[in-house]
Amino acid sequence: NMAAAGREEPPLGLEAVAEEAAAAAAASAGFRLTAVRREPAVRLQHGASGLEPLAWSEDHRVSVSTARSIAVLEQLSDVHSGGQDMVIHRTAVPAPAAACTLKVGPKKEVAECKEKFASSVDPTVSQMFMLDRVFNPEGKSLTPMRGFKYSSWSPLGCDANGRCLLAALTMDNRLTIHANLNRLQWVQLVDLTELYGERLFEASYKLCKADAPCGQLGDFPEFQRRHSMQAPVRMEWSGICTTQQVKHNNECRDVGSVLLAVLFENGNIAVWQFQLPFLGKESITSCNTIESGISSPSVLSWWEYEHNNRKMSGLIVGSAYGPVKIIPVNLKAVKGYFTLRQPVVLWQEMDQLPVHSIKCIPLYHPYQKCSCSLVVAARGPYVFWCLLLISKAGLNVHNSHVTGLHSLPIVSMTADKQNGTVYTCSSDGKVRQLIPIFTDVALKFEHQLIKLSEVFGCVRTHGIAVSPCGAYLAVITTEGMANGLHPVNKNYQVQFVTLKTFEEAAAQLLESSVQNLFRQVDLTDLVRWKILKDKHIPQFLQEALDKKIESCGSTYFWRFKLFLLRILYQSMQKAPSEVTWRPSHEDAKILISDSPGMGSTEDDQEEGTSKQASKQSLGDTGKGVDIDDTAEDSLHQSSDTGGREPMVEKLLEIQAQIEAVEMHLTREHMKRVLGEVYLHTWITENTSIPTRGVCDFLMSDDGYDDRTARVLIGHILKKMNKQTFPEHCSLCKEILPFTDRKQAVCSNGHIWLRCFLTYQSCQSLVYRRCLLHDSIARHPTPEDPEWIKRLLQGPCTFCDSPVF
């Protein structure tokens, strides 16, 4: 991209030399990164706002803080779409309409004090009051504070669907928690600013009873103190931890909980504890306030460290003046957690370099043979790092700075938690990749430059975020300078860059410890893109996968194989010749079109295409269309007779393979369900699982010879004696036979879809559906035993995606 390179400002001589040296070092170490643009770029309706405006969740959603809302872009690896672009589902969390006023006392008294300070004869009071946006969020003579300051994603498994929650902080200090329960709409679950204000009001604005009584609200310093003790700066989620709950019969049960730490302007930290799944106000277990002792705090991060099965935790706090330290956090009722005895100072110099962003990455030390924590902080244009590890001598702390990375201050920093790679970016479109390399004593960083100007042309950057498995980098960009002039209008876009090659993504998927396709959507998307481009599955991947399937009993590799076959099938499909969403105006002709004996006139060919288009659109949205239908259509659709036969055969062959893999996965899940039935049914009552039907279905195929299944079925049938407990059609009371794993059809022709988690027919109007529309599942009912409810919480057996 010579034009873009020509427009860029010439680098300083020293910087150019340093960049070349770094590039040479990285090349010698074999760390060359080739960043490739990934379509589409998503245009934002409003400008990005706040610090670190981008965040990428563990369940593959990117949140973008803007001046009117948080835009949420969900990445899907869609097996029903043949387009090569990334599939992105877009929603938004709107900013509240009313400004947030912090509760500092009774309404009438607060109004009087505001009036008094605004009209004060002392200019230091009146001007400070009028210009402070915490006191005056709605602005009056100033522009109102709109938009979001920061957003933070919880770990996976916190909402009612087992996905991530979003904590959002507005510019005017309102901190709320949101969940996306039905895929289209975000729901506010709780307003923590309001709750914390009420707690402080009840405690007369004292943190503990021993504190001296606070002053009068009419004193300006007291008015300031009450605001600063509840104006949030940042908030961060901890990992999921286990607490014990005592039931009525004195039994203990383990309950998952998660912590949200909120850092306030005065340096206090409120640690909220929530029981999972988080449903709202009733899920709040406790709230404790810790004094950090840091003046002008700017950023916060959790420190979570595991040593000899003992878990340590603390909070890393950074200041706008420079210091960084870890604050101990005592977690009551949390199993297996310990904390530091006193704060640990990581950097103590008041050098006026503000700490802008902190990331804490757990790593394994290859020389010391133990786990360690790498803390990385962006301070101005430098990266401060600190390595923490616990040995027999106690806590070892090594720290240093990496300099010469950027000529401008770092605006955003993100880290790939899986391998410890850190990415930093300055506003001039330069991104640095820092790879930690352990030495005997501590570590050093190999770093290399990613020039976004070579990928997107001349751009300014406002924030970056790396995807959960490190496959993509999301970047917020606006137009850069053209011919030395700034652009007239700014268009904010979220653009995507690949950080891994197809080979790296495939290898990571094959060696995955997670063994869940949904949790690795960024990697599967890279694989999907390659297969759709090349129209074949690379030989090395096919062989490696077959080897894994032979040597390992995990169904994960079968699901991976199914995913590859479905994408290959999509790549072979002929693209519809019409726009799929446009309605067809040939309704009358379509009604009489399906006569096979008619000659192939021009009209017929037109009908064929419109029919194919409508089928294809159904296939794209995945509305319960069977693969067979779309396949048949594409077979009849081939217009060039020369290439028709081999293509038809190829499609039929892939279709047969898909069917075989789906059947294998179904049988494996059926065995799991029958195992649960055998373990949990003491008497032979009906448990809403069509046990006899599933047993008969498994035994019906003579070619299927699985000793485990035969033994299990023998035990179950012995237990059931001759009882059958058939399912009945709710419309005509006829018996529903179990002949098909996907649906049940009674003798009167009523069709019910089957729940893929329990194989029961779904005879209610409402049921749930997996994210990629692969299969459906019923809702748990109050009379279901615990083990069935547990089965119904499972992900899709074909694509690992959660069920809504």
Side-chain angles (χ1 to χ4, degrees):
N1 193 339
M2 292 304 289
R7 281 201 301 268
E8 237 179 67
E9 298 148 55
L12 304 170
L14 277 171
E15 197 192 343
V17 173
E19 278 179 14
E20 276 177 34
S28 66
F31 286 134
R32 275 321 293 154
L33 174 73
T34 48
V36 179
R37 183 178 187 154
R38 182 81 170 96
E39 294 295 348
V42 179
R43 184 148 172 205
L44 299 173
Q45 290 160 321
H46 307 284
S49 69
L51 296 162
E52 295 285 352
L54 264 189
W56 205 319
S57 75
E58 285 177 27
D59 62 353
H60 305 279
R61 294 186 281 192
V62 182
S63 62
V64 194
S65 304
T66 74
R68 290 288 180 273
S69 64
I70 292 179
V72 182
L73 315 174
E74 182 174 1
Q75 185 191 1
L76 300 175
S77 193
D78 195 355
V79 288
H80 304 295
S81 132
Q84 284 183 29
D85 285 2
M86 215 185 231
V87 181
I88 290 171
H89 180 255
R90 187 171 174 164
T91 48
V93 181
C100 170
T101 44
L102 302 174
K103 191 175 176 69
V104 292
K107 270 189 181 172
K108 192 179 173 196
E109 196 183 335
V110 171
E112 287 167 6
C113 290
K114 284 189 171 183
E115 192 66 40
K116 174 184 154 190
F117 298 140
S119 55
S120 169
V121 287
D122 182 353
T124 56
V125 172
S126 60
Q127 286 192 14
M128 263 181 89
F129 173 77
M130 293 305 287
L131 295 173
D132 194 312
R133 301 315 304 265
V134 178
F135 307 148
N136 295 304
E138 64 281 349
K140 299 285 194 305
S141 55
L142 306 165
T143 53
M145 294 284 276
R146 290 297 299 273
F148 286 87
K149 195 189 292 187
Y150 189 64
S151 67
S152 174
W153 290 100
S154 78
L156 198 60
C158 290
D159 76 358
N161 288 323
R163 299 191 76 187
C164 302
L165 296 163
L166 180 64
L169 177 61
T170 59
M171 285 288 189
D172 58 7
N173 300 304
R174 190 193 300 271
L175 173 58
T176 49
I177 296 178
H178 303 259
N180 173 213
L181 298 174
N182 62 1
R183 297 222 46 232
L184 295 174
Q185 177 191 8
W186 285 86
V187 180
Q188 181 182 308
L189 297 177
V190 69
D191 182 337
L192 292 180
T193 298
E194 191 184 317
L195 289 181
Y196 195 67
E198 282 168 10
R199 278 169 178 259
L200 288 175
F201 180 69
E202 284 162 16
S204 308
Y205 298 91
K206 294 191 294 184
L207 289 180
C208 59
K209 288 178 182 144
D211 285 3
C214 58
Q216 295 299 310
L217 189 61
D219 303 336
F220 193 58
E222 175 62 18
F223 187 78
Q224 281 177 307
R225 184 186 82 90
R226 289 191 191 182
H227 276 90
S228 72
M229 74 191 299
Q230 53 179 317
V233 178
R234 289 277 177 106
M235 65 288 170
E236 294 295 343
W237 297 89
S238 73
I240 291 177
C241 42
T242 313
T243 53
Q244 281 201 332
Q245 190 183 56
V246 181
K247 286 160 56 176
H248 298 300
N249 58 357
N250 280 346
E251 261 184 43
C252 279
R253 75 180 182 114
D254 286 354
V255 177
S257 66
V258 70
L259 306 163
L260 180 69
V262 185
L263 177 66
F264 295 103
E265 270 185 9
N266 68 345
N268 288 350
I269 302 167
V271 180
W272 294 88
Q273 186 174 10
F274 305 128
Q275 189 176 314
L276 299 181
F278 182 71
L279 305 169
K281 214 169 173 177
E282 66 275 15
S283 300
I284 297 172
T285 314
S286 64
C287 175
N288 299 310
T289 305
I290 305 164
E291 293 181 62
S292 74
I294 281 196
S295 53
S296 260
S298 59
V299 65
L300 174 79
S301 178
W302 278 93
W303 176 62
E304 292 176 318
Y305 183 93
E306 200 159 332
H307 172 67
N308 291 347
N309 295 330
R310 288 160 68 96
K311 288 177 182 164
M312 304 282 284
S313 71
L315 283 161
I316 310 165
V317 185
S319 160
Y321 298 138
V324 181
K325 69 177 179 180
I326 303 181
I327 311 295
V329 179
N330 270 318
L331 303 179
K332 290 172 188 165
V334 177
K335 285 170 70 180
Y337 268 78
F338 299 84
T339 191
L340 302 161
R341 289 198 182 93
Q342 66 261 354
V344 176
V345 178
L346 305 182
W347 184 256
Q348 61 183 14
E349 303 295 321
M350 297 279 272
D351 49 18
Q352 306 300 315
L353 276 177
V355 184
H356 169 265
S357 175
I358 295 178
K359 300 284 177 232
C360 182
I361 309 155
L363 292 173
Y364 180 77
H365 201 301
Y367 299 107
Q368 304 287 338
K369 301 276 188 291
C370 67
S371 55
C372 58
S373 290
L374 174 62
V375 176
V376 200
R379 302 179 72 241
Y382 312 125
V383 169
F384 164 75
W385 65 264
C386 183
L387 188 69
L388 300 156
L389 62 107
I390 295 173
S391 67
K392 290 191 175 93
L395 182 68
N396 295 339
V397 179
H398 299 273
N399 63 14
S400 181
H401 280 79
V402 187
T403 57
L405 295 173
H406 297 278
S407 51
L408 291 171
I410 292 167
V411 293
S412 186
M413 180 171 77
T414 181
D416 178 354
K417 293 278 174 82
Q418 294 198 333
N419 57 13
T421 307
V422 177
Y423 298 89
T424 58
C425 98
S426 51
S427 60
D428 56 1
K430 289 183 179 143
V431 175
R432 283 274 180 187
Q433 180 192 41
L434 289 92
I435 299 167
I437 291 164
F438 284 97
T439 60
D440 291 346
V441 185
L443 53 75
K444 61 178 184 176
F445 285 95
E446 288 282 1
H447 53 87
Q448 63 171 313
L449 181 69
I450 306 169
K451 273 192 182 173
L452 294 178
S453 59
E454 291 170 5
V455 187
F456 304 128
C458 186
V459 289
R460 287 180 69 82
T461 40
H462 304 270
I464 55 172
V466 71
S467 65
C469 299
Y472 289 117
L473 186 75
V475 193
I476 300 179
T477 62
T478 49
E479 293 86 349
M481 288 174 75
N483 305 324
L485 297 171
H486 287 286
V488 181
N489 295 319
K490 272 188 185 178
N491 291 310
Y492 285 85
Q493 287 187 315
V494 178
Q495 310 219 48
F496 296 93
V497 175
T498 63
L499 297 175
K500 281 188 161 63
T501 61
F502 160 74
E503 287 76 16
E504 287 170 323
Q508 205 171 321
L509 283 163
L510 285 169
E511 299 305 323
S512 161
S513 57
V514 182
Q515 301 230 332
N516 182 302
L517 292 173
F518 170 70
R519 290 184 58 181
Q520 305 175 87
V521 161
D522 49 340
L523 295 174
T524 59
D525 187 72
L526 269 181
V527 172
R528 172 181 168 270
W529 187 27
K530 171 82 171 172
I531 294 171
L532 287 172
K533 272 197 299 193
D534 297 355
K535 298 194 185 307
H536 77 95
I537 300 169
Q539 193 63 33
F540 86 90
L541 178 56
Q542 257 179 329
E543 286 170 3
L545 189 54
D546 289 341
K547 214 173 259 176
K548 286 277 185 190
I549 285 172
E550 276 173 40
S551 63
C552 166
S554 169
T555 53
Y556 163 72
F557 297 110
W558 285 91
R559 289 194 295 276
F560 188 20
K561 185 176 182 174
L562 177 64
F563 169 78
L564 295 177
L565 288 169
R566 285 169 159 186
I567 298 304
L568 180 61
Y569 186 79
Q570 284 299 334
S571 72
M572 301 279 182
Q573 291 277 38
K574 186 165 180 268
S577 52
E578 274 187 25
V579 182
T580 52
W581 50 261
R582 190 173 292 147
S584 163
H585 295 295
E586 301 176 20
D587 305 344
K589 279 196 275 185
I590 286 174
L591 288 173
I592 53 167
S593 71
D594 266 353
S595 167
M598 291 168 79
S600 174
T601 61
E602 203 169 338
D603 278 1
D604 278 0
Q605 284 174 347
E606 275 179 40
E607 281 158 10
T609 38
S610 67
K611 182 179 163 192
Q612 161 65 8
S614 61
K615 284 277 191 186
Q616 186 72 26
S617 73
L618 281 170
D620 278 359
T621 50
K623 297 272 186 247
V625 172
D626 212 346
I627 294 174
D628 308 11
D629 301 352
T630 42
E632 274 170 39
D633 266 16
S634 57
L635 303 190
H636 294 316
Q637 260 256 239
S638 269
S639 51
D640 50 331
T641 44
R644 182 176 169 185
E645 282 311 313
M647 192 62 166
V648 171
E649 280 172 23
K650 184 80 180 149
L651 276 169
L652 286 170
E653 186 190 321
I654 298 168
Q655 211 176 309
Q657 285 178 295
I658 289 173
E659 186 60 35
V661 177
E662 280 190 357
M663 189 54 117
H664 176 83
L665 287 168
T666 302
R667 284 172 174 155
E668 287 303 303
H669 185 66
M670 278 179 172
K671 276 158 58 180
R672 193 183 151 218
V673 172
L674 289 177
E676 293 282 338
V677 169
Y678 182 69
L679 285 176
H680 292 102
T681 49
W682 311 120
I683 51 168
T684 53
E685 88 278 45
N686 188 9
T687 58
S688 83
I689 285 180
T691 312
R692 174 76 69 168
V694 173
C695 290
D696 292 348
F697 182 80
L698 274 176
M699 304 300 282
S700 62
D701 185 1
D702 299 332
Y704 176 65
D705 187 30
D706 184 328
R707 191 165 180 278
T708 321
R710 288 188 183 280
V711 171
L712 181 61
I713 288 168
H715 285 310
I716 286 174
L717 294 182
K718 204 178 201 175
K719 205 176 200 180
M720 284 183 78
N721 207 343
K722 288 193 173 117
Q723 293 158 305
T724 52
F725 299 121
E727 281 189 291
H728 291 277
C729 172
S730 61
L731 292 179
C732 63
K733 302 292 178 273
E734 285 295 324
I735 286 177
L736 285 173
F738 199 114
T739 49
D740 186 349
R741 59 198 166 89
K742 287 184 179 173
Q743 59 184 29
V745 186
C746 81
S747 54
N748 289 330
H750 299 131
I751 299 173
W752 305 104
L753 294 171
R754 286 201 179 279
C755 161
F756 71 97
L757 291 169
T758 63
Y759 296 107
Q760 188 192 9
S761 56
C762 291
Q763 299 192 34
S764 61
L765 288 173
V766 286
Y767 49 76
R768 301 174 304 144
R769 201 164 194 184
C770 84
L771 190 67
L772 296 186
H773 293 169
D774 251 345
S775 40
I776 68 147
R778 69 180 180 84
H779 283 278
T781 57
E783 56 270 12
D784 279 339
E786 279 301 314
W787 62 275
I788 287 192
K789 284 180 181 164
R790 204 170 52 246
L791 266 179
L792 286 169
Q793 280 169 359
C796 175
T797 50
F798 298 131
C799 64
D800 283 333
S801 65
V803 186
F804 294 94

